Amino acid sequence: MTKQLISLDIPDAFVIKQTSFTDQRGQFSRLFCQKTLAPILAHREVKQVNFSRTTIQGTVRGLHYQRSPEAEMKFIRCIQGSVWDVMVDLRPDSPTFLQWHAEELSQENNTMIVIPEGCAHGFQALAAESELIYFHTAFYAEMAEAGVHVQDPDLAIDWPLPVNNLSIRDAELPTVEKWLKDLSG
Ligand SMILES: Cc1cn([C@H]2C[C@H](O)[C@@H](COP(=O)(O)OP(=O)(O)O[C@H]3O[C@@H](C)C(=O)[C@@H](O)[C@H]3O)O2)c(=O)[nH]c1=O
């Protein structure tokens, strides 16, 4: 049920075009298959599956990642509504360090995005009541949570709608400049 596997410019990041079956009863989709995704998963395994619903259009969540050794790869699909999904490469040794990539994920487009370890993830709800499902290759570790601010001018992420409804935690995330200073001690 995987139609196409597309490597992105950001190393180890992918877009997966999946398929779905529709008949008179409705729809059937396979969201995750360990065998089909083995070339991406390699030694990893899915440890946790998460769900989020975002009520208000324009809401932004992110940009989040887990620090090593709790670093994780995430496979993300939109199962209701649509979101503008963003990853930012925060791996200082990566050729695409601080570059971002965005992809629209929607209920209709059967697109899954793969965020590798060391890249931060965020999204903006393009529609009210947008729902995401996440497959994570590490357990949630509160102490390892980190991130950068979605409106950092140095990243200049081109959010399609005015940024709205940030959580208190997300509004307080550092700029990349501050994050880099903290990283180097
Ligand atoms: C991410 C996560 C949160 N929580 C708890 C912490 C908190 O009390 C509550 C809500 O968490 P947050 O406010 O961090 O939810 P949210 O801002 O939606 O966090 C998510 O944002 C997107 C962009 C991602 O990439 C996800 O991996 C995750 O970080 O749920 C867990 O118990 N397990 C988890 O895996």
Side-chain angles (χ1 to χ4, degrees):
M1 283 176 129
T2 295
K3 210 160 60 180
Q4 213 185 348
L5 191 62
I6 302 160
S7 293
L8 300 179
D9 288 342
I10 294 179
D12 305 316
F14 300 87
V15 163
I16 303 168
K17 298 285 182 189
Q18 298 180 311
T19 52
S20 63
F21 293 105
T22 307
D23 63 19
Q24 82 283 2
R25 300 165 301 171
Q27 190 184 332
F28 179 88
S29 308
R30 188 188 303 161
L31 296 184
F32 187 85
C33 171
Q34 191 153 7
K35 195 156 62 176
T36 314
L37 296 176
I40 299 177
L41 277 167
H43 58 282
R44 307 168 183 92
E45 57 183 49
V46 171
K47 302 266 178 64
Q48 192 172 321
V49 179
N50 288 340
F51 165 84
S52 76
R53 177 186 302 120
T54 302
T55 314
I56 301 174
Q57 186 193 46
T59 297
V60 174
R61 299 186 192 230
L63 297 152
H64 305 159
Y65 72 104
Q66 289 197 161
R67 282 187 296 262
S68 188
E70 328 289 347
E72 59 182 344
M73 178 174 261
K74 299 179 200 175
F75 296 74
I76 304 164
R77 262 286 298 256
C78 178
I79 54 171
Q80 176 166 296
S82 63
V83 306
W84 199 73
D85 204 84
V86 177
M87 76 177 86
V88 178
D89 191 347
L90 293 181
R91 299 166 294 185
D93 57 349
S94 168
T96 55
F97 181 50
L98 299 185
Q99 288 181 30
W100 56 268
H101 175 89
E103 201 69 43
E104 186 170 334
L105 308 180
S106 71
Q107 185 185 7
E108 289 84 23
N109 73 8
N110 293 315
T111 300
M112 179 174 253
I113 195 155
V114 183
I115 318 274
E117 294 88 347
C119 288
H121 169 250
F123 67 90
Q124 180 165 51
L126 299 177
E129 308 294 351
S130 288
E131 296 181 351
L132 294 189
I133 188 157
Y134 298 77
F135 301 84
H136 299 253
T137 63
F139 294 110
Y140 173 60
E142 194 181 346
M143 298 304 288
E145 279 196 297
V148 292
H149 199 283
V150 294
Q151 288 176 301
D152 182 347
D154 286 338
L155 292 174
I157 296 175
D158 198 7
W159 299 102
L161 300 173
V163 170
N164 189 15
N165 201 21
L166 289 182
S167 69
I168 293 169
R169 175 196 161 208
D170 288 353
E172 289 174 352
L173 284 172
T175 60
V176 166
E177 193 183 349
K178 165 93 171 46
W179 171 84
L180 266 172
K181 268 192 200 131
D182 293 346
L183 206 64
S184 51

